[in-house]
Each structure stands twice: as C-alpha cells, then as structure tokens.
Amino acid sequence: MKTVEMLIIGSGPAGLSAAIEAAKAGVRPLIVDANPKVGGQLFKQIHKFFGSSMHRAGTRGMNIGKIFLEQCNELGVEIWQDCLAMGYYEGNVVAVDRRLEDGTHKLFEIQAKTIVIATGASENSVRFPGWTLPGVMGAGAAQTMINYNRVLPGKKVLMIGSGNVGLIVSYQLMQAGAEIVGIVEALPKINGYAVHAAKLVREGVPIYTGYTVVQATAEKERVNKAIIGKVNPDWSIVPGSEIALDVDTICMGAGMKPLSGFAHMAGCAFTFDRFLGGRAPVHNEKMETTVSGIYVAGDSTGIEEANTAIEEGKIAGTAIAERLGYLDPKDADAACTAAWERLAGLRQGHNGDIRTRAKEGQIAKYREIMEGGN
Ligand SMILES: Cc1cc2nc3c(=O)[nH]c(=O)nc-3n(C[C@H](O)[C@H](O)[C@H](O)COP(=O)(O)OP(=O)(O)OC[C@H]3O[C@@H](n4cnc5c(N)ncnc54)[C@H](O)[C@@H]3O)c2cc1C
C-alpha cells in the first residue's frame, strides 16, 4: 500500500491549485486523474478565458494549464494520469486503477492522511424522442473530440443551450470546420455572455430563443433531422411552430452537475441547490467535508468557473498544509481569509448574488449537520 500525506483526485484547476498551495508549504501531494492527459477542462479550452485578470482572464485555458503543470513539476508534485479513483474504504484508503506504460492496468491502494476531491462535473442531458441516437451527444463530449482527440463529430450541428458552454463549443466546432445549423434556447433570451453570442451571430448562426428540440429522426442509424418548436410558458409546444432542420449531430449544452460520486462513497453529507447544479457535498470555510480529512474544491462542490475552482483549491491546499503541521495556523487563516475575499469578488459577476447565497447555504448546512448532530 502506498502512503501519502495528501491525495488529490482530479487534476483540473481545483486539484492543481490545491497541490501547488500545499506543496509550497512543504507537503508532498499525489494527484491522480482518470484522463491520460492532466489539466481537467483546461486543455480543452482553446479560447481566451473570461473571468478576472487576477486569474489570467485573456489567457487561453490550455496555457493556464501549462503554467500550473510547470509549477507542479518545480514543486515536486507527483502526478499519476490514466488513474481512476474507484473505491473508498474506512480510514481514507483509496483504491485506484492505474494504466501502466505497457498498457496493462494495476490496482493500487493508497492510504491518504488527507484527500481533496476535485473531480469536476458531468453534463446534463435533454430527453426527447431520438435523444439516444448516434450523433446526439453532450457539448463537452464534442469539445473533447475536437480539441483533445482532433476528431470532428459531424458537419451539420444543432446546439441545445445558449449558455457559455453551448456558445463557446458552437464557435469551436465552427473553427474546426462544422456548420452550426442553429442554437436552440428554451429561455426567452440568450443565457451566456453577449460577447460569445455576438461572434456566432456575426457568422450568421441563427439562435432560436424560446425554442426546444421536439424530436430527432434518423437515417442509416444516425440522426438526420431535428424538429424544433416554440415553447409555451407551460413547456408545451406552440402548435404549428415546428421547424425541421437537417443535421448530423445534436449537441446538448444544458448545464452540468457536480461529479460527486466519490464524496458520496466516502459518506460525505450533501445539500441540494439548483444553483450549485444539484446535489453537492457540503463543506466548511476550510473546504473540509463532514468526513474528517476529506476536502472538496471546484465544480465537484458546485458548478462555477475555473477561477473560483482555483481559489477553492488554494483554500483546501492551505488548510491541509496547516492540518499536517507545515503552516502556522495564523498564516493559514490569513491566506484562507484572503482567498474568501477574492471568491466574494468573483461571485459578484454573472448571477453573483444567487451564487453567493448558494455557497453560503452550503456552509450553513455543514454547520447545521456538524453542530446539530444530524
Ligand atoms: C466549454 C467550456 C468553457 C469554459 N470556459 C471557461 C472560461 O472561459 N473561464 C472560466 O473561468 N471557466 C470556464 N469554464 C469552466 C471551467 O472549465 C470549470 O469550472 C473548471 O474546469 C472546473 O475545474 P475543476 O478542477 O473543478 O474540474 P475539471 O477541470 O473538470 O477537472 C476534474 C478532473 O477530475 C478528473 N476525475 C474525475 N473523476 C475522477 C476519478 N474518479 N478518478 C480520477 N480522476 C477523476 C477528471 O478526469 C478531470 O480531469 C468552461 C467550461 C466549459 C465546459
């Protein structure tokens, strides 16, 4: 069995920043990531990041990933890629399935003094007749195909959802050579940043606000048409509003939910808030969950952005360095307070008060459970 002071599950911005912060104080963390390439979402994001200048807005996501990985290398952070954390046992023992260089797989047990769950998010799907047809996929899956695997999923794409993910992935699909036949958005207005929508509108992409997909049909076992229709306030379809679009791919950019199965397995308490993306593990101001020694950071504890994931990762890394005796409690408290102040600033942006309330509710729920003994 391998013994580590700090095990981080997930190498996205949350996991990497937790590792960097702890390693700066002297901790020797191990990061495991199920993907063959580390960096989480960052290496799929070829666009210049939105967000705050303090968090490298204007720099492409993939370049932010490179900077983080260089820092990890310099600080001696151990990283096991192609390594899925798949089991949790009492006493913080984690079972991982690691793919070795010769292509074989080996199971390892890791005894971790502390764990950070930074597993990110999974995509929501939209259900309509035909949604399981080949050619219908998540927007994130399409983004992985073009920016990571260099495979174009299709040539005529309909995107469902006009949030930032739907808009950005639509533009990247166009850059990769696909035609975006349209974007449907059930809300009466575009849901993502105007700057992303404007780029598509300038290229002549129709954005159907107040519309949804009614049905997808197939030819030769692959989607060939999407029927879209205008939605009434009760979500029924306005009779006669249907439009048939020729497509070979339908992408769903319909939001994400925390990928928190590992936290569930470990027995962490959860809360439900739709503004966090659904069920998410609760935590205190140090990002520690209701299971002692298990911390959480980033999208796995509520869907937000890379910049907030970075700050939450810093808090978890600092708190662990303090817990393990590498940081003076006063210094750790000051660093965590500063990170919370930066988070408060970041959460003043898009849907700021709703996000702030949701995150405060998550901490309040932690207190209620821990102090109330529920
Ligand atoms: C299209 C798109 C555009 C975006 N643009 C921006 C932007 O411009 N600015 C911004 O701030 N944010 C942006 N975001 C959001 C940002 O990418 C995420 O909020 C951020 O990546 C979350 O970081 P994370 O570390 O929590 O998770 P992730 O980056 O998702 O990383 C999670 C990692 O955990 C690994 N993992 C999961 N389960 C396991 C397991 N059991 N064992 C081992 N490894 C596991 C995964 O392989 C993954 O590498 C965008 C998101 C998308 C989809």
Side-chain angles (χ1 to χ4, degrees):
M1 180 169 334
K2 186 176 171 76
T3 303
V4 295
E5 294 180 303
M6 179 183 189
L7 173 67
I8 300 166
I9 305 171
S11 68
L16 291 175
S17 70
I20 291 166
E21 218 51 32
K24 275 198 232 159
V27 183
R28 286 282 156 266
L30 167 66
I31 304 181
V32 296
D33 197 295
N35 257 307
K37 196 166 175 178
V38 287
Q41 298 292 317
L42 289 172
F43 286 96
K44 292 182 209 165
Q45 290 165 10
I46 57 171
H47 62 283
K48 292 183 180 163
F49 257 31
F50 49 80
S52 82
S53 54
M54 202 196 308
H55 297 88
R56 303 197 170 88
T59 305
R60 295 183 196 282
M62 58 193 192
N63 292 335
I64 300 176
K66 279 185 201 151
I67 296 168
F68 277 151
L69 287 183
E70 276 163 20
Q71 277 181 285
C72 282
N73 269 341
E74 281 160 19
L75 291 162
V77 175
E78 191 179 357
I79 303 182
W80 290 4
Q81 63 261 51
D82 240 332
C83 179
L84 176 76
M86 50 185 286
Y88 174 86
Y89 304 94
E90 253 175 58
N92 285 354
V93 175
V94 176
V96 301
D97 174 356
R98 186 181 186 193
R99 189 167 173 271
L100 303 178
E101 270 175 22
D102 63 4
T104 58
H105 286 254
K106 190 169 173 197
L107 283 175
F108 289 86
E109 275 185 337
I110 302 173
Q111 164 78 72
K113 279 193 184 148
T114 58
I115 298 173
V116 181
I117 300 172
T119 45
S122 65
E123 293 190 89
N124 294 333
S125 50
V126 183
R127 274 151 251 189
F128 47 84
W131 76 290
T132 56
L133 284 169
V136 183
M137 66 186 76
Q143 194 190 32
T144 305
M145 287 173 78
I146 48 173
N147 295 348
Y148 192 86
N149 301 314
R150 307 283 170 192
V151 175
L152 194 59
K155 293 193 173 141
K156 288 172 88 66
V157 183
L158 174 72
M159 177 65 68
I160 305 175
S162 70
N164 286 322
V165 171
L167 296 174
I168 291 170
V169 175
S170 293
Y171 193 71
Q172 292 179 355
L173 280 162
M174 277 176 62
Q175 288 177 310
E179 177 196 348
I180 304 299
V181 172
I183 299 176
V184 284
E185 169 57 64
L187 293 174
K189 64 182 180 60
I190 293 168
N191 202 18
Y193 293 156
V195 61
H196 296 311
K199 282 182 175 172
L200 290 152
V201 172
R202 275 201 299 273
E203 296 294 330
V205 173
I207 303 185
Y208 298 92
T209 49
Y211 275 78
T212 190
V213 175
V214 181
Q215 188 185 355
T217 60
E219 189 182 60
K220 292 187 191 148
E221 294 183 11
R222 189 186 167 103
V223 63
N224 74 333
K225 263 191 204 327
I227 317 293
I228 64 169
K230 206 164 177 48
V231 282
N232 281 313
D234 67 357
W235 286 86
S236 60
I237 302 298
V238 177
S241 67
E242 293 90 346
I243 303 170
L245 300 170
D246 289 333
V247 299
D248 60 15
T249 306
I250 299 177
C251 291
M252 305 180 190
M256 286 180 272
K257 53 181 156 310
L259 189 57
S260 48
F262 196 88
H264 209 280
M265 196 166 18
C268 304
F270 278 64
T271 187
F272 180 92
D273 190 316
R274 70 189 182 93
F275 296 109
L276 299 173
R279 275 171 58 74
V282 299
H283 57 78
N284 62 14
E285 283 88 350
K286 297 271 171 92
M287 302 310 295
E288 188 174 12
T289 66
T290 51
V291 177
S292 176
I294 300 193
Y295 296 70
V296 72
D299 279 356
S300 62
T301 184
I303 305 302
E304 289 196 90
E305 291 168 357
N307 44 27
T308 46
I310 290 169
E311 291 300 339
E312 289 188 347
K314 280 186 187 170
I315 296 170
T318 305
I320 287 174
E322 178 197 353
R323 183 191 189 106
L324 297 173
Y326 290 94
L327 261 188
D328 179 77
K330 261 202 226 140
D331 295 339
D333 280 350
C336 289
T337 305
W340 277 110
E341 279 165 10
R342 292 191 293 273
L343 276 170
L346 290 170
R347 288 177 181 142
Q348 272 167 17
H350 195 54
N351 285 337
D353 46 342
I354 297 172
R355 278 162 70 188
T356 305
R357 265 203 308 278
K359 295 305 279 188
E360 283 170 0
Q362 203 171 20
I363 294 180
K365 185 80 187 168
Y366 170 94
R367 284 210 198 97
E368 186 189 313
I369 293 168
M370 297 307 269
E371 287 162 21
N374 294 330

